[in-house]
Amino acid sequence: MKKENIESKEVEIKKVKSKKKTTKKRNIKLDIESPSSFKKVNKLLTTRVNNLKKKNKEASLMFEGLENGSNSFLRVKRTENTNFDLTWVKIIEDTIPALDEIIKNPRINTKNVSNIVPIELAKKTNSESIRHLSSHSQFVKEIDSEGNVIPNKILNIETEDNYLTYENKFIATLIRRLVLFVEKRYEYIEKYSPLRDYEVLYVKNKSIINGIEYTVESKVISSKISENTSDKEVASTTFMKKIAFIRKYVKYFYSSPFMKMFKNEKNVRSPILQTNIIRKNPRYRKCYELYRFIETYDKLGVSFLIKETFDKPTVELEEKYKNLVLENILALEGSEAKIPFKKREVKKNTRILKSIDDDIFTFYPLGTDPEFIRIDEDYINYKSGKVKDLKKKPKKLERKYDIGKYLSKGKIDKDKARREELLKRKKLEALAFEKEQKELKIKEEKERERLRLLKLKEEEKRRLDELEKARTFVKESATTDLETNINEENNSENNN
């Protein structure tokens, strides 16, 4: 009995739970296809806000603060169209049969392999085996009474099939490149071929209300499937079917037993050698033409035509956009976050970057004020990253909407030009300094050489003077000795 009561209670509980699950909130469905639903809601909201401005003094003052602030509004409409290039699809489709035949029946080079094996393991012999045995008598086991030669070992002749020819390596290279060629285009076209129309609303406001500065930036994007795309959808579907067909064959080629034989082989390098087979065989010739095509074809296969129109809203629409700005401000000031999510405290210590060029400012006249700018590369790259999405040639309305960013970009470009000028000046100064150092070095070497030659000249002069003195001394000594001898001779004659 207890078990039955427990089971009945469990059944009742399950029924209650199932009832709770089935109860759903009533969903409100709008007739989105007709734009009148949005217009009705917009009209009601505008009426309420206008009544609030008329009846509430604080609301009217807030709107007056928005009016006195800086307001920028811009609407952009963008439509897309595509054109498909079937050139590469047709060329690959025409080459698939030839490629399929080559993979099924690849070209083979056969070669004979000779091995000396025991007579029991010999499979095939020919006249070359006999000639080899006659010249290698050590492999003869015995000769019977009838003159039959019984060898111990013999030259075995086998044939091997060689698939690793240059032509087959070229085909393997073509398949690998073809897989990448098709996959890149298939993934991109599958992702971006569906066409959509976009409409974007940019709202920017900077105003001061009650002494507080508010900056509001808002962007609303709506996208829908492009209108009148029946012909485009048919063309896109046909194009995708053809690419899917090609992709299926290419993937089959890539996973075929033919490609498994070349899994450890490297690709052949360009330019491809035109062997007799590649030049004269029609199948290999087609593959060669396809290889040259995919090497030079760098297009995606689909081109997009994008049309953008920039509209300036009317005065009535600007009033509605200002209502949107006020609602954003009220969302910040009218309520406070009750649930703390995250808290962070960061202390940043600033520092002054020093440069060699800081010294140049001390040479300015006292009456002038030098302009200090930051020209280090990291700072310029950081500032450039904030305005990298700006167009090079914007429309008038786009520039007006993002005037602050375009002015910052102009200042950054000016700083870049100053940096380039500074680097150029540094380079010229370095070259001038290097030239001056070389000239000083040459001058010092010349002076050193002049002093060396002068020293050598003085030493030579001193040596000559010493020789002259020695010569004079010798001459004088010789004269004295001669005179002495003569006197002695005269004295001896007189004595006799």
Side-chain angles (χ1 to χ4, degrees):
M1 289 294 289
K2 287 182 179 181
K3 287 183 179 181
E4 290 176 0
N5 291 333
I6 292 167
E7 288 176 358
S8 62
K9 285 181 180 179
E10 287 178 354
V11 171
E12 288 176 2
I13 290 168
K14 285 181 180 179
K15 285 182 179 179
V16 171
K17 286 183 178 179
S18 62
K19 285 181 181 179
K20 285 183 178 180
K21 286 180 181 179
T22 53
T23 56
K24 294 181 180 178
K25 293 182 180 181
R26 187 169 61 88
N27 293 325
I28 299 171
K29 294 183 179 180
L30 295 175
D31 186 9
I32 299 174
E33 294 181 358
S34 63
S36 59
S37 302
F38 293 99
K39 289 182 179 179
K40 287 177 183 178
V41 176
N42 192 12
K43 190 175 181 181
L44 289 171
L45 183 61
T46 306
T47 305
R48 288 185 180 182
V49 174
N50 290 334
N51 291 333
L52 180 64
K53 286 193 285 187
K54 290 177 182 178
K55 295 178 181 179
N56 193 308
K57 187 178 179 181
E58 293 178 348
S60 63
L61 289 173
M62 289 180 185
F63 275 99
E64 187 178 348
L66 293 177
E67 290 284 349
N68 295 331
S70 174
N71 297 284
S72 298
F73 307 107
L74 179 65
R75 293 186 68 163
V76 181
K77 290 183 180 178
R78 167 177 164 155
T79 57
E80 297 178 347
N81 197 359
T82 53
N83 290 318
F84 298 104
D85 183 12
L86 298 173
T87 308
W88 64 278
V89 176
K90 190 174 184 306
I91 291 175
I92 296 175
E93 281 182 341
D94 293 343
T95 313
I96 281 176
L99 202 55
D100 187 40
E101 286 295 326
I102 291 173
I103 287 174
K104 287 179 180 177
N105 303 300
R107 194 165 185 84
I108 303 170
N109 283 345
T110 59
K111 62 178 182 179
N112 293 331
V113 179
S114 303
N115 293 314
I116 299 171
V117 297
I119 190 63
E120 297 85 3
L121 300 177
K123 294 180 179 179
K124 186 179 180 181
T125 58
N126 55 16
S127 57
E128 186 180 350
S129 303
I130 297 171
R131 285 196 298 272
H132 181 269
L133 185 62
S134 62
S135 60
H136 296 78
S137 58
Q138 68 269 25
F139 297 132
V140 175
K141 185 179 179 181
E142 60 178 340
I143 301 174
D144 59 11
S145 57
E146 296 179 357
N148 296 322
V149 178
I150 302 173
N152 183 21
K153 292 182 179 180
I154 197 167
L155 186 68
N156 183 47
I157 309 297
E158 293 181 354
T159 57
E160 285 187 359
D161 294 334
N162 182 22
Y163 289 89
L164 303 179
T165 61
Y166 181 82
E167 292 79 12
N168 290 341
K169 288 180 181 179
F170 159 68
I171 296 297
T173 304
L174 172 63
I175 292 171
R176 292 191 190 108
R177 300 209 173 188
L178 198 57
V179 168
L180 293 175
F181 183 86
V182 174
E183 281 296 322
K184 286 179 182 178
R185 285 155 180 77
Y186 179 80
E187 289 178 4
Y188 185 88
I189 294 170
E190 186 183 32
K191 185 177 180 180
Y192 295 104
S193 60
L195 302 179
R196 300 188 72 83
D197 293 340
Y198 294 89
E199 189 168 2
V200 186
L201 170 63
Y202 297 94
V203 178
K204 184 184 285 187
N205 171 271
K206 191 174 184 180
S207 55
I208 299 174
I209 301 174
N210 199 21
I212 303 174
E213 184 177 314
Y214 294 95
T215 302
V216 178
E217 291 189 23
S218 177
K219 182 167 71 171
V220 184
I221 303 174
S222 67
S223 65
K224 61 180 179 179
I225 299 172
S226 296
E227 299 175 356
N228 302 323
T229 57
S230 57
D231 296 336
K232 298 173 189 174
E233 285 181 359
V234 171
S236 177
T237 305
T238 306
F239 188 63
M240 286 303 298
K241 283 182 179 178
K242 288 187 176 184
I243 298 176
F245 171 78
I246 291 172
R247 182 170 174 261
K248 182 180 73 173
Y249 266 94
V250 170
K251 289 180 77 174
Y252 160 71
F253 293 153
Y254 190 73
S255 58
S256 63
F258 175 84
M259 288 299 294
K260 289 178 182 177
M261 291 189 293
F262 294 89
K263 64 180 180 180
N264 296 325
E265 296 296 322
K266 294 182 180 179
N267 291 341
V268 295
R269 296 183 179 181
S270 296
I272 302 300
L273 299 177
Q274 291 195 50
T275 60
N276 289 333
I277 296 170
I278 293 176
R279 188 170 60 252
K280 296 181 179 180
N281 190 306
R283 294 171 185 166
Y284 283 92
R285 183 68 186 175
K286 264 188 174 299
C287 294
Y288 174 73
E289 290 172 358
L290 175 61
Y291 182 89
R292 289 188 61 187
F293 174 78
I294 64 176
E295 283 287 298
T296 55
Y297 189 83
D298 56 356
K299 299 177 184 177
L300 188 62
V302 59
S303 59
F304 294 92
L305 178 63
I306 299 170
K307 295 181 180 179
E308 290 183 340
T309 56
F310 301 88
D311 300 326
K312 186 179 180 180
T314 60
V315 177
E316 183 182 355
L317 281 175
E318 284 188 0
E319 291 296 324
K320 293 179 181 179
Y321 297 156
K322 289 172 186 175
N323 296 342
L324 175 63
V325 172
L326 183 60
E327 289 177 6
N328 280 278
I329 294 174
L330 291 175
L332 178 65
E333 294 291 345
S335 61
E336 295 182 359
K338 301 296 182 183
I339 304 172
F341 172 66
K342 189 177 181 181
K343 188 176 181 181
R344 185 172 64 179
E345 185 176 346
V346 180
K347 183 180 179 182
K348 293 185 178 180
N349 296 321
T350 57
R351 61 190 179 90
I352 297 175
L353 296 176
K354 292 186 178 180
S355 171
I356 299 173
D357 295 283
D358 292 341
D359 298 332
I360 66 172
F361 295 111
T362 60
F363 297 103
Y364 275 79
L366 296 175
T368 61
D369 294 326
E371 182 183 1
F372 293 89
I373 59 169
R374 282 192 65 174
I375 48 84
D376 50 293
E377 189 174 2
D378 293 337
Y379 175 75
I380 290 176
N381 291 338
Y382 166 73
K383 297 294 286 185
S384 300
K386 291 193 171 185
V387 293
K388 64 181 179 180
D389 296 331
L390 294 178
K391 292 184 178 179
K392 292 183 179 179
K393 296 181 180 179
K395 305 288 183 182
K396 189 175 179 181
L397 290 173
E398 285 183 302
R399 183 175 178 81
K400 185 180 177 182
Y401 177 77
D402 285 324
I403 186 66
K405 289 184 178 179
Y406 279 104
L407 290 175
S408 299
K409 187 176 184 298
K411 187 176 182 305
I412 291 166
D413 292 340
K414 189 177 178 181
D415 289 345
K416 282 184 179 179
R418 289 180 177 182
R419 181 176 184 275
E420 293 297 327
E421 185 180 354
L422 177 62
L423 292 175
K424 187 177 179 180
R425 178 174 64 77
K426 281 186 173 183
K427 189 176 180 181
L428 291 174
E429 287 178 356
L431 291 172
F433 178 76
E434 187 179 353
K435 184 179 178 181
E436 185 180 353
Q437 291 296 316
K438 284 182 178 178
E439 289 176 353
L440 286 173
K441 190 175 180 181
I442 292 169
K443 192 174 180 181
E444 287 177 358
E445 288 178 355
K446 285 183 178 179
E447 182 65 19
R448 199 180 294 114
E449 183 67 16
R450 187 184 69 80
L451 293 173
R452 188 181 70 82
L453 293 174
L454 183 63
K455 187 178 179 181
L456 288 173
K457 191 174 180 181
E458 289 176 355
E459 289 180 355
E460 184 67 17
K461 186 179 179 182
R462 182 175 55 79
R463 189 176 64 82
L464 291 173
D465 290 343
E466 289 178 354
L467 287 174
E468 186 64 27
K469 286 179 181 180
R471 191 180 296 112
T472 304
F473 176 76
V474 170
K475 188 177 180 181
E476 290 176 353
S477 299
T479 304
T480 305
D481 292 341
L482 182 62
E483 290 177 353
T484 304
N485 292 331
I486 291 171
N487 291 330
E488 288 178 354
E489 288 178 359
N490 291 330
N491 290 332
S492 60
E493 286 178 358
N494 292 328
N495 292 327
N496 294 326

